[in-house]
Amino acid sequence: MAAVSLSISTVKPLSDRIFIKVAQAEEKTAGGILLPDTAKEKPQIGEVVQVGPGKRNEDGSRQPMEVKIGERVLYSRYAGTDIKLGSEEYVLLSEKDVLAIVE
């Protein structure tokens, strides 16, 4: 199999999918204890880097996406597909898996 080189600009989500750059995991607890990599929880917050065109309605028109590129969002813990591009981690998920926009 040939290796495929992907970058953010080459990934275009389809339908109501969103491509999110995952925020870095916390290095310390609130009490100041340093966490090893194995004890860090996967963050559920990330920045939207690409969005699809929107879901099709029954009449064939597109429903506009609620989230925009550049917004920080909170998403479901086990939602989407994890993707690693270089040293950065991303997740590709459906718009319905986004719980809130974080300001």
Side-chain angles (χ1 to χ4, degrees):
M1 290 184 92
V4 177
S5 177
L6 295 175
S7 69
I8 296 170
S9 61
T10 60
V11 177
K12 291 187 177 189
L14 300 176
S15 190
D16 67 337
R17 302 276 193 256
I18 302 168
F19 196 56
I20 296 173
K21 181 179 179 182
V22 178
Q24 295 297 318
E26 292 294 321
E27 298 288 326
K28 296 187 214 183
T29 64
I33 298 172
L34 292 175
L35 296 171
D37 288 338
T38 55
K40 294 178 186 173
E41 287 189 29
K42 177 183 168 189
Q44 292 174 258
I45 294 179
E47 180 182 348
V48 177
V49 292
Q50 292 284 349
V51 295
K55 189 175 186 176
R56 286 209 182 265
N57 295 325
E58 290 182 20
D59 64 358
S61 64
R62 292 241 184 229
Q63 181 176 339
M65 299 289 279
E66 290 186 49
V67 297
K68 308 283 186 271
I69 294 174
E71 291 182 321
R72 289 175 43 90
V73 294
L74 174 69
Y75 56 91
S76 298
R77 181 175 301 273
Y78 301 108
T81 303
D82 296 330
I83 301 170
K84 189 165 187 167
L85 298 178
S87 63
E88 302 290 333
E89 292 186 26
Y90 298 87
V91 64
L92 182 64
L93 50 86
S94 179
E95 185 179 35
K96 69 181 179 184
D97 295 321
V98 173
L99 304 174
I101 296 172
V102 180
E103 295 182 4

